[in-house]
Amino acid sequence: MSLEEEVRALKEERSAVLLAHNYQRPEVQDVADFVGDSLFLSRKAMESDRPVIVFAGVRFMAETAKILNPGRTVLLPDLKAGCALADSITAENLRAWKADHPDAVVVAYINTSADVKAEADYCCTSSNAVKVVENVPAGREILFLPDMFLGDYVRRKTGRTMHLWVGDCPVHAKMRPEALDRARAEHPGAPIIAHPECGCASQALPYVDRVLSTDGMIRFAEETRAPEVLVATEVGILHRMRKLNPGSRFDPIDAGAICPYMKEITLADVRDSLKFGRYVIDVPPETAARARRSLERMVAA
Ligand code: 13P
Ligand code: SF4
């Protein structure tokens, strides 16, 4: 039996749903029940009635699934699948920041630990950050964390008073406006789509055709008739784009934009996760209860 067949058989045997993020290895995406962005996968985790959720993504995604589904078993196939952006702020950092701005509303990006989410008023993902910030009552100042590029983009879009935590994703932050200039010169006329975590997303808005979450980028790729599209995000997403639209060419702005955390998970890890029930992700009930409020606002937005 091939590894892929083993995974498919084990999923049935264990009554598990396998969720994979758009940045996962191609062979993991191909065997998953659902592939998508953070918001889509959070919703799928809630909709599925299977008792076991295997999350081929990074830890904060698995924690989110656990918080939203406290009665189910959530497995992360490799505990090294963390996130440098999520690690850029702790709950203690956030409590100190809140103490400096006692009247502010806290909007936390989903790329945060459960402890940080428990301190937030609202959570958001890249696909609904603008909408979530628009839902914050008018006139309230906002603390937005931890990604400063996403925060800057949302601030420009909404015109709200937002203080930004100075955190970034090392994979996306290095994509600067100069990289876009170079790509535009080499591929004249090709549309550019960018993830809002990119270091270029807000400053290079005039050159970027669309700033989108990873699923927004997938939809664009599926629908475009452009012969070539330039993609500014982690390169794992190209697999699905090429599969969905073989008539267009999808080129990365930075072929070295590889998230080492997402790539920790191999197909063999997924097989072992299903086989041995590892690694169980738990969130203390009190933390989960506090984090659930802000996550439910995110899923509803
Ligand atoms: P998406 O929600 O757009 O999938 O992004 C998650 C992420 O970690 C991007 O680096
Ligand atoms: Fe975190 Fe960046 Fe990897 Fe996304 S790409 S999981 S933000 S380190």
Side-chain angles (χ1 to χ4, degrees), residues 21-23 36-39 58 60-61 83 85 109-111 125-127 169 172 195-197 212-215 233-234 262:
H21 187 264
N22 288 319
Y23 298 160
D37 70 2
S38 312
L39 186 61
V58 291
F60 72 79
M61 296 178 179
C83 169
L85 177 58
Y109 189 31
I110 190 169
N111 296 43
T125 71
S126 58
S127 71
C169 157
H172 286 87
H195 193 276
E197 284 175 20
L212 298 162
S213 74
T214 57
D215 265 10
T233 193
E234 210 270 355
M262 286 281 182

Side-chain angles (χ1 to χ4, degrees), residues 176-189:
R176 311 293 309 168
E178 306 79 68
L180 291 194
D181 287 343
R182 228 180 4 256
R184 282 170 71 229
E186 284 166 13
H187 307 265

